[in-house]
Amino acid sequence: MKFELDVHTHTIASGHAYSTINEMVAAAEEKGLRLLGITEHAPAMPGSCHEMYFHNLYVVPRLQGGVEVLLGAEVNLLDTEGRLDLRPSTISRLDLCIVGIHVPTFVSGTKTENTDALVKVMSRPDVHIISHPGDGTAELDFEPIVRAAAEHHTLLEINNSSARPERNKPQAISNMLELLRLHKEYDLPVILGSDAHVHFDVARFNEVIPLLEEADFPPELVINTSVEAFKSYLNLKS
Ligand SMILES: [Zn+2]
Ligand SMILES: [Zn+2]
């Protein structure tokens, strides 16, 4: 499989990541990507950037060398009410909005409450991708989430970082296999995300490629293989 894009990455602005925009773009170019997304953690994540950071992104060129760059955020789902840690007026300035559930910033409810909150967030037209729904941070019921992804053209991520042994996320593998099984059943695209926090990891999908194989997942449903398919699925400007 030839990958053209990786849109879930972080730079030093996220506070616990270690490369600059320049280094991330150079790594993307070296790996043959056409499109790189940089999605810093939103303000509720300890050590990440202020909301102001996201207001000033217009100063950064969106074409650097041969690589198109999308600048966005990985916004935190805060609770079962579906609250996020960036205002809609800030999200509207982003090229790309990923929403994720993270240990330090999510107040969990029951499995049903967590699922309903995520489904509610997915119905927003300004939310494009849900990061690592399979990482086990919150208990979730995947079938309604995959149905919501189909209804609202939201992409669910198969996250390489969640599957790394050092992360010690015991449910991640079985959850991601379940997500792949459901996407295959519903004939829906998934997105792979490296979630790189250092430039060496841009477009690193080594942990999840074996899961695609194990699930006998159709390559044409991996949206990272086409920038055009990715943009048109999310209705992004080209
Ligand atoms: Zn995340
Ligand atoms: Zn991330």
Side-chain angles (χ1 to χ4, degrees), residues 25-162:
V25 171
E29 190 158 27
E30 196 180 298
K31 293 183 183 191
L33 295 188
R34 292 175 55 205
L35 178 70
L36 173 70
I38 297 177
T39 49
E40 309 298 359
H41 286 291
M45 181 65 79
S48 196
C49 34
H50 190 273
E51 185 142 8
M52 185 73 80
Y53 179 91
F54 300 102
H55 290 192
N56 205 37
L57 289 172
Y58 67 90
V59 303
V60 183
R62 297 317 200 257
L63 189 62
Q64 299 185 34
V67 180
E68 184 181 351
V69 181
L70 296 178
L71 297 174
E74 185 181 14
V75 180
N76 294 291
L77 177 61
L78 298 171
D79 57 28
T80 54
E81 300 295 310
R83 287 197 305 128
L84 303 179
D85 63 342
L86 280 183
R87 288 176 291 168
S89 58
T90 304
I91 291 177
S92 71
R93 295 165 179 250
L94 304 173
D95 300 337
L96 186 70
C97 177
I98 299 180
V99 171
I101 293 175
H102 297 99
V103 172
T105 53
F106 182 63
V107 181
S108 185
T110 64
K111 185 176 188 176
T112 307
E113 288 168 339
N114 296 341
T115 302
D116 290 349
L118 203 57
V119 165
K120 182 176 166 189
V121 162
M122 290 167 72
S123 72
R124 292 176 50 150
D126 56 357
V127 171
H128 301 117
I129 298 172
I130 303 301
S131 54
H132 45 71
D135 76 352
T137 300
E139 265 202 292
L140 294 168
D141 187 359
F142 292 130
E143 183 129 15
I145 289 169
V146 171
R147 283 174 182 271
E151 185 181 351
H152 302 295
H153 270 221
T154 317
L155 289 166
L156 297 175
E157 181 195 57
I158 300 296
N159 182 287
N160 197 72
S161 170
S162 307

Side-chain angles (χ1 to χ4, degrees), residues 202-213:
V202 171
R204 182 172 164 188
F205 300 129
N206 64 312
E207 304 285 353
V208 292
I209 287 170
L211 302 185
L212 297 174
E213 286 164 2

Side-chain angles (χ1 to χ4, degrees), residues 10-13 15-20 23-24 197-199:
H10 301 267
T11 75
I12 46 173
H16 59 270
Y18 309 98
S19 300
T20 62
E23 289 164 341
M24 299 299 278
H197 284 62
V198 69
H199 63 278

